[in-house]
Amino acid sequence: MPISAAFPRHIRMGGGALNELGAVIAALNVRRPLVVTDPYLTSTGGAHRVMTLLSAAGQAPALFDRTVADPTTASLQRGVDMLIGHRADCVVGFGGGSPMDTAKALAVLALQPGPMRRFKAPSSYAGPALPIIAIPTTAGSGSEATQFTVISDSETNEKMLCPGPSFLPIAAIVDYELTMTMPPRLTADTGVDALTHAVEAYVSRRANPLSDGLALAAIRLVAAHLKPAYRDGSDVAARAGMMAAATQAGMAFSNSSVALVHGMSRPIGAHFHVAHGLSNAMLFPAVTAFSVAGAPGRYADCARAYGVADAATCDEVAAGALVEALTELCAELEVPTPKSYGIDSAAWQSLIPLMAEQAVASGSPGNNPLIPELADIEALYAQVYG
């Protein structure tokens, strides 16, 4: 059966790549970009640098810096109003996953009436949208290379996965120098996010030869560079390796899929406002331990790429070594449990049935090597609480 794949048309990767923004955007024949970012990147001068580069390239940019962590449908409206008022002909997402998710949603809402829930999975939107240029400042989400955005419904508190090629950036500028000031906690959470993307893309029921190569390459990079980047944020090689890993993992899962970890992660973020990468990390070892029986050979390949098994190791032992390695990684990176993070036990327990239903409704658990029953997901939520 033929596979379908989609990637950004233009990619600039490496130290100093941001300086090529003007050349990239000039090639797109647009003139009025809206830069979508957050207040922090305005306060540090990063947004000003992007605006200056665009102006120097003959563009007429405007700045929307009111994105929020885990964007909601309510948070999008001011951006839509500014997009229309500026008569923007493209959107530049500058920041971590939340500004890029916001930029993607705005690019579609600029030309299509809402509400945003029209675009949530299992639908796949391929209609009109403004061109998206993505500039990540964290090494994790891979959103610069994916055909997805994640927006929480302000009315239902559901964290919606919205897929389709119209959400795919036309250009990605991937400059590891933008990540050099990331604090250890953010480095850890986004790094585990990238590893989760790569492993789930590889073990997914929708995996294919294109996504496989990208996923395994990303796993190798994370194995080599995440711990050094966490221990020493000034390690240039580690930062460059993690940035490349995040983009490769994004390309992998965009053309394969994520699975049970992500399906369970989104409701945690929606109900308890836990950052996406961190909620993935809270789940990753336990969900992997549950899932390995569904595809021990695929998990064994991940273990070999991660460096905790070799060709002589049988698949079952290698898959077990991967679970152990993930457990050790999360311990070394001081990933909290929901309990130690401060989530109230009664609130967690009361929401388990709803979170399990929302996880299943997202569609991601259906891509898992071992497809869970609702009761399995509820048991996993109870197990990881701590």
Side-chain angles (χ1 to χ4, degrees):
M1 180 177 178
I3 63 171
S4 176
F7 301 94
R9 186 184 305 171
H10 304 274
I11 298 177
R12 298 289 190 277
M13 178 179 287
L18 181 59
N19 294 323
E20 299 188 18
L21 173 60
V24 169
I25 205 164
L28 301 178
N29 196 30
V30 292
R31 294 298 304 273
R32 302 185 63 82
L34 179 70
V35 177
V36 177
T37 189
D38 58 32
Y40 173 76
L41 285 166
T42 295
S43 69
T44 62
H48 175 72
R49 182 182 173 193
V50 170
M51 295 288 284
T52 299
L53 288 167
L54 290 170
S55 296
Q59 300 289 311
L63 179 67
F64 175 69
D65 63 356
R66 297 300 168 193
T67 66
V68 299
D70 295 319
T72 65
T73 50
S75 74
L76 296 176
Q77 189 55 52
R78 289 177 65 184
V80 172
D81 293 342
M82 191 163 188
L83 241 170
I84 294 171
H86 181 59
R87 294 180 288 112
D89 56 8
C90 66
V91 181
V92 178
F94 176 60
S98 294
M100 286 193 286
D101 278 349
T102 299
K104 291 178 173 187
L106 294 180
V108 168
L109 292 175
L111 300 180
Q112 289 293 305
M116 195 67 200
R117 69 176 67 95
R118 285 182 53 208
F119 307 106
K120 73 176 185 177
S123 69
S124 179
Y125 180 66
L130 295 180
I132 304 159
I133 299 92
I135 309 171
T137 61
T138 62
S141 76
S143 187
E144 67 274 9
T146 73
Q147 45 192 328
F148 305 105
T149 189
V150 178
I151 305 292
S152 293
D153 190 320
S154 298
E155 295 181 12
T156 66
N157 216 25
E158 177 188 2
K159 203 165 188 177
M160 303 180 294
L161 174 68
C162 302
S166 297
F167 295 108
L168 177 69
I170 193 171
I173 295 179
V174 186
D175 187 339
Y176 71 82
E177 292 179 358
L178 297 173
T179 71
M180 296 299 294
T181 59
M182 287 171 60
R185 180 74 268 143
L186 184 59
T187 298
D189 296 345
T190 55
V192 175
D193 191 23
L195 182 59
T196 310
H197 291 154
V199 171
E200 291 207 307
Y202 190 79
V203 303
S204 167
R205 290 170 175 263
R206 298 176 62 186
N208 58 73
L210 277 176
S211 62
D212 283 353
L214 290 162
L216 292 176
I219 292 170
R220 294 185 190 100
L221 285 171
V222 174
H225 297 298
L226 176 52
K227 291 179 183 178
Y230 175 71
R231 291 192 293 261
D232 179 9
S234 65
D235 186 327
V236 171
R239 291 299 196 189
M242 285 307 301
M243 200 64 156
T247 300
Q248 287 180 331
M251 290 177 174
F253 87 81
S254 181
N255 291 289
S256 171
S257 71
V258 287
L260 181 56
V261 174
H262 276 75
M264 292 180 63
S265 173
R266 294 185 202 103
I268 295 175
H271 294 288
F272 298 105
H273 307 293
V274 179
H276 173 69
L278 179 55
S279 58
N280 277 343
M282 289 174 171
L283 294 160
F284 199 14
V287 172
T288 303
F290 167 83
S291 303
V292 289
R298 301 292 281 183
Y299 283 104
D301 289 343
C302 294
R304 296 180 184 109
Y306 195 77
V308 293
D310 58 29
T313 312
C314 74
D315 287 351
E316 287 73 15
V317 171
L322 178 67
V323 175
E324 292 176 7
L326 297 180
T327 302
E328 292 169 2
L329 174 67
C330 289
E332 184 168 340
L333 299 182
E334 299 181 280
V335 174
T337 63
K339 179 180 180 180
S340 63
Y341 186 74
I343 296 174
D344 178 71
S345 176
W348 180 269
Q349 298 299 327
S350 69
L351 282 168
I352 282 178
L354 176 59
M355 291 196 297
E357 291 174 1
Q358 291 176 335
V360 171
S362 75
S364 296
N367 301 320
N368 209 54
L370 183 61
I371 298 178
E373 301 291 339
L374 196 65
D376 295 322
I377 297 177
E378 292 180 351
L380 283 167
Y381 275 130
Q383 176 186 340
V384 302
Y385 178 72

